[in-house]
């Protein structure tokens, strides 16, 4: 475990686990020489990757969509619990610090999406934007790929759902308002805690709780359908905030709500447990014990139907609390925010795309 003074400021992961696909692995050892060094400040680097395709498809019964868009790989937000971390190993990078510092921008992404929407057999159903990364992470301010995607989807009247932890989405408020008038968009703000200190270590480069609630308030004020996603709920760490989170989101204008139990697939489990020991050592054993009670005795349960909610007494209690609080506040389910697929038309010719 790293000493707290050596934790990298502004980053979520405390170390880089080995890439499970690499043919060799290295291990640091104590050579007897001791040095009291300050942690290095890790800069974020970005490399471009030409896009071969845009839409990602899934058949999971746990998800409310069958297609998604991810204009970036990795995420500078650095949320320690992010279930997408293991995917960074596919690009010869570590799911740890690499995931939040070595990003990949997919160039030509909007052009590939344009081509796929023009295919004769394409059937319109809502696209989820931010399935494996946050489309409004800091890199978006420079690259503006998410903005270009939304402009294309509005042009061809294609519905989309957005999930983000970033206030950068307010940059596109007028565009989203225009889409909302045609029932083409719904926005979910992911809210994990109202505690600034917990947020700072759990999700180091995301918007503050107050900024996220302000974002909800401003979007809903102009008629954009908004919801709150309590994700993840972490037993023993933030589960006590569930009712307060729902109340705050409701007061900010959220119309719907959903929740997800913490998931710890592959490398995320050791990363999260190391983070717990570094930042909340007095709670670490309790949190992991409760997680295993919800996950059939393991740190993670990948089975469909179980991975989002868990099982057992504690998981059932969380579900009951969420249901009762949502009902009391009049917060509906995600499926109740209907989108219109009937107006879809294939985009214009490629040469006219950005006219």
């Amino acid at each position: 475990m790293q000493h707290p003074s050596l934790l990298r400021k502004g980053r979520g992961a405390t170390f880089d686990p080995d890439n499970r696909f690499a043919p060799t692995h290295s291990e640091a050892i104590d050579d007897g020489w001791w040095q009291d060094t300050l942690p290095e400040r890790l800069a974020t680097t970005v490399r471009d990757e030409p896009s071969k395709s845009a839409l990602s498809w899934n058949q999971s019964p746990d998800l409310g969509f069958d297609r998604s868009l991810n204009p970036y790989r990795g995420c500078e937000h650095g949320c320690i619990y992010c279930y997408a971390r293991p995917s960074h190993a596919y690009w010869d990078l570590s799911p740890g610090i690499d995931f939040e510092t070595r990003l990949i921008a997919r160039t030509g992404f909007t052009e590939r999406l344009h081509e796929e929407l023009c295919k004769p057999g394409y059937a319109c159903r809502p696209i989820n934007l931010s399935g494996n990364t946050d489309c409004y992470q800091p890199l978006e301010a420079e690259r503006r790929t998410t903005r270009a995607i939304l402009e294309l989807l509005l042009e061809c009247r294609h519905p989309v759902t957005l999930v983000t932890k970033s206030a950068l989405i307010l940059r596109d408020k007028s565009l989203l308002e225009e889409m909302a008038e045609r029932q083409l968009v719904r926005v979910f703000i992911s809210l994990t805690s109202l505690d600034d200190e917990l947020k700072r270590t759990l999700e180091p480069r995301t918007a503050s709780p107050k900024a996220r609630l302000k974002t909800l308030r401003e979007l809903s004020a102009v008629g954009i359908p908004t919801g709150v996603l309590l994700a993840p709920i972490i037993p023993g760490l933030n589960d006590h905030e569930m009712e307060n989170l729902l109340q705050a989101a409701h007061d900010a204008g959220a119309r719907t709500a959903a929740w997800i139990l913490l998931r710890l697939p592959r490398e995320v489990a050791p990363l999260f447990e190391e983070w717990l020991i570094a930042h909340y050592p007095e709670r670490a054993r309790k949190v992991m014990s409760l997680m295993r009670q919800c996950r059939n005795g393991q740190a993670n349960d990948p089975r469909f139907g179980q991975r989002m909610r868990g099982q057992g007494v504690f998981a059932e209690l969380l579900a009951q609390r969420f249901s009762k609080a949502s009902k009391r506040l009049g917060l509906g389910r995600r499926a109740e925010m209907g989108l219109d697929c009937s107006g879809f038309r294939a985009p214009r010719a490629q040469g006219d795309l950005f006219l």
Side-chain angles (χ1 to χ4, degrees):
M1 183 189 79
Q2 292 197 42
H3 188 276
S5 65
L6 297 181
L7 298 178
R8 294 171 173 88
K9 185 176 181 180
R11 299 299 179 181
T14 59
F15 71 104
D16 260 336
D18 288 329
N19 180 340
R20 64 185 182 277
F21 300 114
T24 61
H25 302 289
S26 61
E27 181 178 351
I29 62 172
D30 184 358
D31 61 1
W33 289 90
W34 177 84
Q35 285 184 311
D36 187 6
T37 58
L38 293 176
E40 74 272 27
R41 285 185 174 271
L42 297 176
T44 300
T45 62
V46 182
R47 82 174 191 229
D48 290 339
E49 174 191 273
S51 299
K52 296 179 180 179
S53 63
L55 288 168
S56 298
W57 301 83
N58 79 83
Q59 297 179 335
S60 170
D62 296 323
L63 301 177
F65 55 88
D66 66 354
R67 64 202 73 182
S68 61
L69 293 169
N70 296 286
Y72 309 112
R73 304 194 195 279
C75 184
E76 194 174 2
H77 282 165
C79 304
I80 188 59
Y81 55 75
C82 184
Y83 63 84
R85 283 182 177 273
S87 65
H88 231 45
Y90 294 120
W91 290 276
D92 288 333
L93 297 170
S94 171
I97 296 167
D98 281 355
F99 179 80
E100 51 197 278
T101 61
R102 301 176 67 179
L103 310 180
I104 299 171
R106 304 178 66 188
T107 59
F109 191 82
T110 310
E111 289 78 5
R112 300 293 81 73
L113 176 61
H114 183 283
E115 294 169 358
E116 292 169 23
L117 295 179
C118 286
K119 290 182 178 179
Y122 181 78
C124 177
R125 291 189 65 187
I127 293 173
N128 183 65
L129 190 47
S130 286
N132 215 43
T133 187
D134 195 316
C135 63
Y136 281 107
Q137 63 175 287
L139 182 57
E140 168 61 18
E142 171 192 343
R143 296 302 180 102
R144 300 177 67 87
T145 306
T146 298
R147 171 81 185 196
I149 291 170
L150 293 176
E151 289 171 342
L152 173 59
L153 295 179
L154 174 59
E155 175 198 318
C156 61
R157 304 295 188 263
H158 197 300
V160 64
T161 58
L162 286 158
V163 182
T164 186
K165 296 180 175 71
S166 174
L168 180 59
I169 191 174
L170 292 176
R171 179 201 64 187
D172 298 333
K173 182 169 67 172
S174 60
L175 177 58
L176 295 169
E177 184 180 1
E178 188 175 353
M179 298 184 78
E181 291 173 354
R182 295 174 170 83
Q183 292 183 273
L184 294 175
V185 69
R186 59 190 186 194
V187 174
F188 294 92
I189 300 299
S190 179
L191 193 59
T192 312
S193 177
L194 299 177
D195 182 337
D196 287 322
E197 181 60 23
L198 175 58
K199 196 287 314 178
R200 185 184 65 80
T201 56
L202 189 68
E203 307 165 331
R205 299 201 174 193
T206 60
S208 69
K210 288 183 180 178
R212 294 189 218 183
L213 292 172
K214 178 178 180 288
T215 300
L216 264 176
R217 193 173 296 112
E218 291 195 23
L219 294 176
S220 60
V222 296
I224 298 169
T226 58
V228 63
L229 182 60
L230 307 188
I233 293 296
I234 306 172
L237 196 62
N238 72 341
D239 64 290
H240 65 284
E241 294 191 70
M242 180 181 281
E243 289 80 3
N244 290 338
L245 290 167
L246 290 171
Q247 183 71 60
H250 170 267
D251 294 346
R255 291 169 42 186
T256 63
W259 74 285
I260 297 175
L261 183 68
L262 175 67
R263 295 173 54 198
L264 297 173
R266 293 188 179 274
E267 294 92 343
V268 183
L271 281 166
F272 180 76
E273 192 160 6
E274 183 84 1
W275 174 90
L276 270 176
I277 294 170
H279 293 284
Y280 296 92
E282 74 286 355
R283 301 195 210 179
R285 183 175 296 180
K286 176 183 177 182
V287 171
M288 293 308 299
S289 174
L290 289 171
M291 278 304 305
R292 291 187 175 93
Q293 291 177 42
C294 295
R295 296 297 191 190
N296 198 32
Q298 304 298 317
N300 187 58
D301 186 349
R303 293 177 298 165
F304 289 152
Q306 300 292 339
R307 58 182 183 153
M308 300 295 194
R309 295 287 182 269
Q311 60 183 345
V313 174
F314 199 88
E316 291 174 5
L317 177 60
L318 290 175
Q320 290 175 17
R321 287 174 55 197
F322 178 85
S323 178
K324 289 180 179 179
S326 297
K327 185 176 181 180
R328 174 174 56 82
L329 294 169
L331 291 168
R333 296 176 298 176
R334 296 175 69 175
E336 294 172 4
M337 296 173 67
L339 294 174
D340 182 14
C341 296
S342 65
F344 172 74
R345 57 175 185 261
R348 292 176 295 174
Q350 190 73 39
D352 299 331
L353 181 55
F354 298 110
L355 295 182

